[in-house]
Amino acid sequence: RELDKELREILKQKDEAVRSQDFEAAGQLRDREMEIKAQIAAIAQSKKTEEDSSKDVSVVTEEDIAQIVAAWTGIPVNKMTRSESEKLLQMEETL
């Protein structure tokens, strides 16, 4: 907002300088105008980047949780496949 106000003021001053044929001052004001426009563009880009990054939502899966539990406890908590589970259930009969 402050940059917008400053930009409007610079544009007014530049127009006045051109009308009074003070081209050196108008050139300096033009340079300042370009700097302010670049700052505004940079701020707009950073806000857009922040908005885009805040929209990125990570999805936590069962596998992620199992890896964290395994890392904390030192006990492997990998998801068993159905065939492994069936083998364990029938182990008593096999032995």
Side-chain angles (χ1 to χ4, degrees), residues 1-14 36:
R1 293 179 185 171
E2 292 177 21
L3 287 176
D4 287 336
K5 287 181 183 178
E6 186 177 351
L7 180 60
R8 279 186 247 131
E9 184 63 33
I10 294 287
L11 289 172
K12 287 179 187 176
Q13 291 175 4
K14 183 178 80 171
I36 293 172

Side-chain angles (χ1 to χ4, degrees), residues 6-64:
E6 186 177 351
L7 180 60
R8 279 186 247 131
E9 184 63 33
I10 294 287
L11 289 172
K12 287 179 187 176
Q13 291 175 4
K14 183 178 80 171
D15 287 342
E16 291 173 13
V18 170
R19 285 188 199 124
S20 65
Q21 296 185 358
D22 186 0
F23 298 116
E24 184 177 331
Q28 292 173 351
L29 291 168
R30 182 199 65 221
D31 293 342
R32 180 65 184 144
E33 174 190 352
M34 291 171 55
E35 290 174 11
I36 293 172
K37 285 182 178 180
Q39 289 175 354
I40 291 172
I43 291 170
Q45 181 64 32
S46 68
K47 285 185 179 180
K48 182 180 177 186
T49 303
E50 289 175 11
E51 289 174 3
D52 290 345
S53 65
S54 67
K55 290 180 183 178
D56 294 340
V57 178
S58 298
V59 177
V60 179
T61 63
E62 291 179 33
E63 188 65 31
D64 295 332

